[in-house]
Amino acid sequence: MPAAAKKIRGMKHFNPSKVFAMPSFSERDSGTVIRFYIPPLTPGGLAGEATLSYIPAKLDMSGLHNAIGITYRPPTAAPLPIYHTPPVDSPSYSNFGSPVPPPPQNLPPTPPDSPVTRPRSLSSNTNTNTNTLSAASTPLSQSTRATSHTANSPSISTISSTHSTAPSRLPKTLSVIYSPHGLSYDCLLPYAVHHLVPLAALPLTTFLHSFDRVQNPRWMGGNVNAGLPGGIEIAKNLMAKCWISAHDEDKENSGLAVMKVTMRKYTKEEVREMVSRESPNCDVRVLECGTEMTMKA
């Protein structure tokens, strides 16, 4: 991204002050997420927000592997006022006019309190300490032991349902990951845990990723497009609702840089079959140039 920004500035077509290089996402620095404020639709409504994040691969020789994370939460209008009226058959009592509270009823006097029964003292030959309970006998400790083996490795779906900080009254947040050349799931995991989960932006709304796998020799940069083998893990773990093919168009490959390139193309049917085994709720699409598609949260 910094190299792309430098090249765009060098074109001298855009105002240099309007060209920015996105910082790499870091869970330790909230400033690495670019946020756009969207005003509410009416006074009293809730503001919306759009965010952009740049997630690069680590130790990528080719410099091709990265992802752009996008989220969008729409603004809202002010809620309509709710007027509460008392039920007709349940009169309210006041100091003015009728109806008035009913007269007190003649009830029998309240019986005296029952005597307090003290527990019997333990016999002198009992060695049990009654002031404390062993940790093994408490229900809390039993529950802790029962769940300790799963607490160390929670799934994204578990984290998403228990760690979201978005108020329930907010509209659902849409989420998109655009990674045409692919990116390992390990590189995306911090973004998912520290950004998508707090926004309640999972399941992932749309996943833009290549189907075809393109490979160069290691000494020429290695993998070019991760394709289906690399994208299926992301689609599964982020529970993607829709996977759209990206950067799979036919290309004119010529020159020394592509002499050793090998390609494995995958059809939409092959991708759908393999994805259905891991993520049965994920739709698979190939869009023609100019085709529009509407996704719902």
Side-chain angles (χ1 to χ4, degrees), residues 121-296:
S121 61
L122 297 175
S123 59
S124 59
N125 59 354
T126 303
N127 297 326
T128 305
N129 184 0
T130 60
N131 294 327
T132 59
L133 292 174
S134 64
S137 64
T138 62
L140 179 61
S141 63
Q142 294 172 5
S143 174
T144 303
R145 289 200 313 273
T147 59
S148 61
H149 68 283
T150 59
N152 295 331
S153 56
S155 64
I156 278 290
S157 59
T158 303
I159 296 174
S160 178
S161 61
T162 58
H163 289 72
S164 171
T165 58
S168 58
R169 64 194 182 102
L170 290 178
K172 182 73 173 67
T173 300
L174 301 175
S175 54
V176 177
I177 287 181
Y178 172 66
S179 184
H181 289 273
L183 184 70
S184 71
Y185 174 67
D186 290 340
C187 292
L188 275 173
L189 185 58
Y191 173 76
V193 172
H194 297 281
H195 186 67
L196 296 183
V197 169
L199 294 180
L202 292 176
L204 187 70
T205 308
T206 306
F207 181 40
L208 297 162
H209 189 282
S210 59
F211 288 176
D212 302 338
R213 185 172 181 85
V214 182
Q215 192 73 28
N216 246 334
R218 184 178 295 273
W219 57 273
M220 293 187 68
N223 181 260
V224 179
N225 278 16
L228 172 62
I232 195 169
E233 184 180 11
I234 299 173
K236 171 188 174 182
N237 286 288
L238 298 188
M239 301 161 283
K241 293 182 178 180
C242 183
W243 181 351
I244 300 177
S245 168
H247 202 38
D248 289 325
E249 69 279 1
D250 293 331
K251 308 172 185 67
E252 293 184 6
N253 295 326
S254 61
L256 296 176
V258 296
M259 289 179 60
K260 301 291 185 179
V261 166
T262 59
M263 179 185 298
R264 167 65 164 95
K265 296 186 72 68
Y266 292 90
T267 65
K268 180 176 65 175
E269 290 71 24
E270 288 179 302
V271 175
R272 181 175 289 133
E273 179 183 357
M274 294 189 66
V275 169
S276 63
R277 303 173 189 172
E278 304 290 343
S279 186
N281 296 323
C282 180
D283 189 15
V284 176
R285 297 293 184 97
V286 176
L287 301 182
E288 298 296 332
C289 183
T291 304
E292 294 185 357
M293 180 177 175
T294 301
M295 292 293 299
K296 296 182 179 180

Side-chain angles (χ1 to χ4, degrees), residues 2-26:
K6 182 179 180 180
K7 188 170 184 177
I8 293 172
R9 292 192 193 99
M11 296 176 182
K12 298 181 179 180
H13 179 75
F14 300 97
N15 186 339
S17 63
K18 302 295 184 181
V19 180
F20 300 93
M22 296 177 63
S24 300
F25 173 81
S26 172

